[in-house]
Amino acid sequence: QVQLVESGGGLVQAGGSLRLSCAASGSTSLIGAMGWYRQAPGKERELVASIRVDGTIDSADSVKGRFTISRDNVMSMLYLQMNSLKPEDTAVYYCNARNKYNTNFKYWGRGTQVTVSS
């Protein structure tokens, strides 16, 4: 099993920055692609950005140029640097990892709240 724990959320003013971290533990050798998702109140969970083991990145159009995803495979860490934050970025942010032997199997963290005030 893989455990994911997010940290770094909080309250920030519009235009500010936050850096989210996700620490993976357990059977980390099972981890393939990782990503950040978010869910705002009353909305479905959506992909923010993902990164494969080889470093290939996909990100939502709404965050391109503002958010940067990165990972440290040695330390089993995932990061999301969020700059120029907007009120519409307010959501619970979840760390996600896919099992590299069965990509349909996903691991999830419990989430960290990000609130951007106008």
Side-chain angles (χ1 to χ4, degrees):
Q1 282 290 349
V2 173
Q3 294 79 44
L4 303 173
V5 178
E6 302 95 337
S7 61
L11 174 64
V12 64
Q13 288 188 332
S17 298
L18 282 174
R19 188 190 194 211
L20 304 184
S21 298
C22 172
S25 61
S27 301
T28 57
S29 62
L30 298 176
I31 294 175
M34 300 185 76
W36 290 97
Y37 287 71
R38 67 185 180 187
Q39 187 167 19
K43 295 188 177 181
E44 293 188 354
R45 191 173 296 190
E46 63 176 0
L47 174 68
V48 176
S50 65
I51 182 168
R52 301 178 187 175
V53 175
D54 65 2
T56 303
I57 290 172
D58 291 312
S59 57
D61 288 342
S62 60
V63 305
K64 285 182 179 176
R66 299 189 299 122
F67 291 10
T68 302
I69 189 171
S70 61
R71 65 188 290 173
D72 182 332
N73 293 326
V74 175
M75 299 300 292
S76 299
M77 295 290 296
L78 181 70
Y79 303 100
L80 185 68
Q81 178 66 43
M82 305 187 294
N83 299 328
S84 302
L85 282 160
K86 304 176 182 180
E88 51 264 44
D89 295 319
T90 295
V92 178
Y93 283 70
Y94 296 91
C95 178
N96 165 275
R98 291 182 182 262
N99 185 307
K100 64 183 176 183
Y101 301 109
N102 180 357
T103 57
N104 291 321
F105 195 90
K106 302 177 184 179
Y107 308 99
W108 291 95
R110 292 188 175 185
T112 185
Q113 176 71 46
V114 171
T115 302
V116 184
S117 63
S118 57

